[in-house]
């Protein structure tokens, strides 16, 4: 599968590969994190969330890993499909300070069949 | 409907005109948010409502921007005396409460000529 250690704006994978999208968040006090998928012309679509008291959470074909030591979040997509092609954003929130989600730089995932 | 609904999907206005953008949140969602998304960027927070109360408007870029949610359901974002830099996609999101994931509509694409 494709693995990226640092944030890159684009990621190209073959259908069936595993994808890893990375995100560095900005605020060490952030305690809630969400991954969104955004297709062209549409709004961000919720994928999975994780709270800061966890370091891993799994969903259907997706896993989110949280490393608070280095303020790093990753999204793993298993058996990537062409329908997974989109821009992926991580978002953080410090719930004590408010409700605004702070979005990271997006990663464009392109899946070729 | 099951999701957040925004109207119009597209709005073209001349510089100096006033515009109003509408958001219908998911039924029963207490929290409502407005975000602005520039081309190629992640969404940026504008304002937050809990029921009819506007609890955070720290992201509104100027006093030309005004939002309301008078009955705690539908919300309107109004921009007065529009400027070219107001051109963006305006996204609305809602959540059951501030601790839950925010679910986005498909946005209104605003173009100021």
């Amino acid at each position: 599968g494709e693995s990226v250690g640092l944030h890159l704006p684009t990621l190209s994978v073959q259908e069936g590969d595993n994808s890893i999208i990375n995100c560095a968040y900005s605020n060490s006090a952030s305690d809630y994190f969400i991954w969104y998928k955004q297709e062209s012309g549409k709004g961000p679509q919720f994928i999975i969330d994780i709270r800061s008291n966890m370091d891993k959470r799994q969903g259907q074909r997706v896993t989110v890993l949280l490393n608070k030591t280095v303020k790093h979040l990753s999204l793993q997509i298993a058996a990537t499909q062409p329908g997974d092609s989109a821009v992926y954003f991580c978002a953080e929130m410090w719930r004590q300070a408010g409700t605004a989600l702070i979005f990271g730089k997006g990663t464009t995932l392109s899946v070729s069949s | 409907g099951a999701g957040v609904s925004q109207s119009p999907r597209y709005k073209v206005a001349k510089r100096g005109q006033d515009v109003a953008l509408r958001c219908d949140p998911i039924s029963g969602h207490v929290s409502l948010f407005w975000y602005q998304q520039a081309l190629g960027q992640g969404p940026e927070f504008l304002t937050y409502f809990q029921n009819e109360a506007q609890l955070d408007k720290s992201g509104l870029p100027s006093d030309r921007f005004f939002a309301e949610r008078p009955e705690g359901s539908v919300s309107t974002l109004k921009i007065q005396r529009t400027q070219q830099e107001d051109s963006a996609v305006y996204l609305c999101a809602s959540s059951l409460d501030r601790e839950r994931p925010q679910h986005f509509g498909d946005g209104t694409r605003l173009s100021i000529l």
Side-chain angles (χ1 to χ4, degrees):
Chain A
E2 188 77 28
S3 174
V4 182
L6 301 175
H7 171 263
L8 292 178
T10 61
L11 177 62
S12 298
V13 301
Q14 292 285 324
E15 181 178 2
D17 283 354
N18 296 329
S19 303
I20 299 177
I21 301 172
N22 294 297
C23 173
Y25 63 90
S26 58
N27 186 354
S28 57
S30 290
D31 55 4
Y32 181 55
F33 306 88
I34 304 181
W35 279 100
Y36 286 96
K37 170 187 179 183
Q38 188 171 28
E39 296 174 282
S40 180
K42 302 214 166 180
Q45 176 187 352
F46 172 80
I47 301 173
I48 192 168
D49 61 353
I50 187 168
R51 301 187 190 280
S52 58
N53 60 352
M54 303 173 69
D55 52 23
K56 180 179 179 179
R57 190 163 187 227
Q58 290 184 290
Q60 189 174 11
R61 281 202 306 120
V62 295
T63 300
V64 56
L65 298 178
L66 174 62
N67 184 332
K68 294 180 287 294
T69 303
V70 294
K71 295 192 293 184
H72 183 266
L73 199 64
S74 69
L75 176 71
Q76 301 177 4
I77 305 173
T80 315
Q81 303 167 0
D84 295 327
S85 296
V87 179
Y88 289 78
F89 290 100
C90 66
E92 62 182 297
M93 180 192 292
W94 181 23
R95 288 174 292 174
Q96 187 175 359
T99 55
L101 284 172
I102 308 300
F103 282 78
K105 298 176 182 177
T107 294
T108 300
L109 176 65
S110 298
V111 183
S112 53
S113 51
Chain B
V4 177
S5 178
Q6 292 188 245
S7 61
R9 286 298 318 277
Y10 304 92
K11 176 70 178 177
V12 180
K14 293 182 179 178
R15 187 164 49 121
Q17 289 182 330
D18 298 349
V19 298
L21 313 179
R22 177 188 168 103
C23 172
D24 277 277
I26 295 171
S27 178
H29 279 197
V30 168
S31 300
L32 185 145
F33 310 82
W34 284 97
Y35 290 81
Q36 180 190 61
Q37 185 172 26
L39 191 64
Q41 304 293 317
E44 292 193 354
F45 172 79
L46 294 176
T47 187
Y48 159 64
F49 290 86
Q50 180 175 300
N51 295 306
E52 68 279 3
Q54 188 175 19
L55 299 186
D56 186 350
K57 50 183 180 179
S58 62
L60 295 176
S62 77
D63 58 8
R64 296 186 295 105
F65 286 70
F66 172 76
E68 61 183 6
R69 194 186 185 196
E71 297 178 358
S73 178
V74 171
S75 177
T76 303
L77 175 67
K78 297 179 180 177
I79 309 174
Q80 297 175 324
R81 305 180 302 281
T82 51
Q83 303 293 318
Q84 283 191 322
E85 63 262 29
D86 299 335
S87 296
V89 176
Y90 290 85
L91 294 163
C92 177
S94 69
S95 63
L96 274 171
D97 58 49
R98 63 191 297 271
E99 302 280 317
R100 306 289 186 95
Q102 296 177 23
H103 297 274
F104 285 80
D106 286 337
T108 294
R109 182 176 296 277
L110 176 65
S111 298
I112 305 300
L113 305 179

